[in-house]
Amino acid sequence: MVTVPWALWLTRRGGPAHGSASLWGLSPLPFRQTAWAGLFGGLLYSVLCYAGFFYAPAAHASVLMPGSLPLWAGFLAVPILGERLTRARLLALGCIAGGGLVVGGASLRTALTGGEVWKGDLIFVSAAFCWSMYGVLARRFAFDAVRATIAITAFGALCYVPFFVLGTALGWLPSRLHQAPWSEVIAQALFQGLGLVVLAGITFVVMIRCFGPVRTTMLTALVPGLSALGAVALLGEPLGWNLVAGLVLVTAGILLGVTAPAATRGDHALQEAAS
């Protein structure tokens, strides 16, 4: 609802200089770019992210999702952007991977005894892959921050909302949305929709253009600690030794990766294309 009038205004005033619009004017980007960005940055990421919480605690998500973001971005940037992995960056990614294994290793062992936490952990890592792919594509295509954010919301809405309405109407998808109070619906719409999608989506792409996808995802160093502490304080989740060790490793790897010098091929050309 926020981006639709914004998109229509942009597509009608932008003209050929800003590229062709798609999705009947709801996306200010060409269809191919809209589909790639919307699939990885909107639809798949959101569905996987929320699905993971049905199996794993929020504390696991606070480490595995932001922790594996730079891991995926680092490896995806090699074939897509032509970046090279330096020793410092490999060490940083190794710390991040080690932290994820410390947190998720215990839940993976429970798979042999019938536990389901490992499913949520794998879903969180898959969601991080999708968001990292979106970040690398944003750098590859030099997305404009506002237009990219509008594109992923338009693509996600057109793909998901009709399916959700039909599924709930026919009883395929369980939903208690009609039982939720309006105050909760409005609060979630403002926070999840306007805050996390529109505002955070725009600032994320701006950071991609300034720092690149790998360093941008590494700048989430504060997320694991704050999320884990929030889960302990607000949700009553336990803070075990493995979670503390994972937080230390992931945070150390992220900080090391941010301070390490970048080594890229063709980065100057990408910056000129973005400008």
Side-chain angles (χ1 to χ4, degrees), residues 60-231:
H60 283 219
S62 68
V63 174
L64 294 177
M65 290 189 64
S68 56
L69 277 175
L71 190 66
W72 287 121
F75 289 109
L76 288 172
V78 173
I80 298 177
L81 300 179
E83 293 193 0
R84 293 184 289 112
L85 293 176
T86 63
R87 290 183 179 180
R89 182 163 288 182
L90 284 173
L91 179 59
L93 295 177
C95 290
I96 293 170
L101 289 176
V102 169
V103 174
S107 63
L108 289 174
R109 288 197 301 268
T110 61
L112 300 177
T113 61
E116 292 188 329
V117 176
W118 65 275
K119 296 180 181 179
D121 291 345
L122 290 180
I123 293 174
F124 289 144
V125 174
S126 300
F129 169 82
C130 293
W131 188 254
S132 297
M133 175 64 80
Y134 168 62
V136 174
L137 291 174
R139 179 71 165 181
R140 173 67 178 83
F141 293 113
F143 283 152
D144 173 78
V146 172
R147 294 173 185 272
T149 302
I150 293 175
I152 65 173
T153 56
F155 183 87
L158 291 177
C159 291
Y160 182 78
V161 172
F163 172 76
F164 176 80
V165 172
L166 180 63
T168 52
L170 298 179
W172 299 340
L173 298 174
S175 175
R176 292 185 293 176
L177 183 61
H178 64 282
Q179 300 176 6
W182 276 106
S183 59
E184 186 71 16
V185 172
I186 294 174
Q188 292 294 332
L190 291 175
F191 182 75
Q192 304 275 7
L194 183 60
L196 294 184
V197 174
V198 179
L199 297 181
I202 291 174
T203 54
F204 178 77
V205 179
V206 171
M207 291 176 64
I208 289 289
R209 291 166 64 93
C210 295
F211 303 114
V214 181
R215 284 189 171 183
T216 296
T217 53
M218 284 184 175
L219 289 173
T220 57
L222 291 176
V223 175
L226 294 178
S227 298
L229 293 177

Side-chain angles (χ1 to χ4, degrees), residues 36-58:
W36 280 112
L39 182 64
F40 287 103
L43 189 62
L44 287 180
Y45 169 74
S46 299
V47 171
L48 289 172
C49 177
Y50 291 117
F53 288 106
F54 284 93
Y55 301 100

Side-chain angles (χ1 to χ4, degrees), residues 218-272:
M218 284 184 175
L219 289 173
T220 57
L222 291 176
V223 175
L226 294 178
S227 298
L229 293 177
V232 173
L234 301 177
L235 303 179
E237 296 182 359
L239 186 63
W241 69 267
N242 61 318
L243 182 58
V244 174
L247 284 171
V248 172
L249 283 172
V250 168
T251 304
I254 292 173
L255 293 176
L256 179 61
V258 170
T259 57
T264 62
R265 296 192 303 269
D267 190 62
H268 181 68
L270 283 170
Q271 291 180 352
E272 287 184 348

